[in-house]
Amino acid sequence: EAGVAQSPRYKIIEKRQSVAFWCNPISGHATLYWYQQILGQGPKLLIQFQNNGVVDDSQLPKDRFSAERLKGVDSTLKIQPAKLEDSAVYLCASSRTNTGELFFGEGSRLTVL
Amino acid sequence: AQSVTQLGSHVSVSEGALVLLRCNYSSSVPPYLFWYVQYPNQGLQLLLKYTSAATLVKGINGFEAEFKKSETSFHLTKPSAHMSDAAEYFCAVSLQGAQKLVFGQGTRLTINP
């Protein structure tokens, strides 16, 4: 089966600009996650969707980050305006319900100058 | 809230030597525990998982981990290191039945020829 697809793989922007990342999960996976991985750290959960509803967004900086999962399939994560500290790899993952096993995409690396 | 601590941000072993990566968890209820591996510029890949069945869990590429409740540990081992094992390894915890993974800081494994 096809894996989790993410785009773009790399993005360089200046601070205060906006950026959007796209994710298409594995077919049939109801749960979708966005994680932020800063260099040298473990991934940190930003938001979790179950179908098209938000399950957990407690660590999402809602003043600048937004995410949606229309129709319960693919998802978009947006940052506006970006800050220097947003430089990171944004990982999308998906899972079947109640398995505890996440499948990750290759990530989108963001550099904010 | 659950958390994991990985002891040692960098581990270096010789090819053919034992690999031991340490992970301790904190959880108020019985957890699910995972080890993921991340190769350069790639997403995370599941190595193995503990979900309250056998305490000794075997994973891919010859890795295994043992759940020790008395020590709150889930250390990852491999009897003989191979050059291809060089990567970043992440321990993660979730609550049983939950879908949210909390990751440790990661351990970078280097294999010396």
Side-chain angles (χ1 to χ4, degrees):
Chain A
E1 62 184 353
V4 176
Q6 291 188 245
S7 67
R9 287 294 312 276
Y10 305 93
K11 188 73 175 180
I12 300 174
I13 61 173
E14 295 188 349
K15 59 183 179 182
R16 292 187 288 274
Q17 287 187 323
S18 63
V19 62
F21 302 111
W22 173 83
C23 172
N24 186 258
I26 294 174
S27 178
H29 283 194
T31 311
L32 185 148
Y33 313 77
W34 284 102
Y35 279 84
Q36 180 192 56
Q37 186 178 18
I38 294 173
L39 185 65
Q41 299 181 19
K44 182 185 82 172
L45 180 68
L46 291 176
I47 189 167
Q48 176 184 344
F49 292 95
Q50 181 75 19
N51 295 309
N52 61 350
V54 176
V55 175
D56 185 346
D57 64 355
S58 57
Q59 297 193 82
L60 186 74
K62 298 180 184 64
D63 58 334
R64 297 183 300 105
F65 286 65
S66 66
E68 60 182 10
R69 191 184 184 195
L70 301 176
K71 301 181 181 179
V73 182
D74 55 356
S75 175
T76 302
L77 176 70
K78 296 180 181 178
I79 307 174
Q80 180 180 14
K83 292 185 175 182
L84 297 177
E85 58 261 37
D86 298 332
S87 294
V89 176
Y90 292 86
L91 295 166
C92 180
S94 68
S95 72
R96 298 183 190 277
T97 303
N98 296 329
T99 64
E101 179 177 351
L102 275 61
F103 293 83
F104 284 84
E106 293 184 317
S108 294
R109 181 179 299 275
L110 173 65
T111 302
V112 182
L113 303 176
Chain B
Q2 67 274 30
S3 66
V4 291
T5 301
Q6 293 184 239
L7 302 177
S9 59
H10 291 89
V11 171
S12 181
V13 303
S14 298
E15 189 173 18
L18 171 70
V19 175
L20 170 60
L21 305 183
R22 301 177 186 273
C23 173
N24 287 89
Y25 70 91
S26 173
S27 178
S28 57
V29 297
Y32 286 168
L33 293 161
F34 305 80
W35 276 98
Y36 280 82
V37 60
Q38 186 177 34
Y39 298 103
N41 298 315
Q42 295 187 26
L44 281 73
Q45 178 184 2
L46 181 69
L47 270 180
L48 49 81
K49 62 180 179 181
Y50 166 77
T51 56
S52 74
T55 57
L56 182 62
V57 181
K58 295 187 183 297
I60 62 172
N61 301 337
F63 284 93
E64 62 182 36
E66 185 172 9
F67 173 70
K68 293 186 176 180
K69 184 178 179 180
S70 61
E71 299 177 7
T72 62
S73 68
F74 191 59
H75 302 331
L76 181 71
T77 60
K78 181 174 180 178
S80 178
H82 192 272
M83 295 299 291
S84 61
D85 295 327
E88 187 97 21
Y89 292 80
F90 294 93
C91 183
V93 63
S94 74
L95 297 181
Q96 289 188 14
Q99 293 288 294
K100 174 182 173 180
L101 282 187
V102 176
F103 286 88
Q105 315 92 301
T107 298
R108 181 169 299 278
L109 177 63
T110 301
I111 311 297
N112 302 313

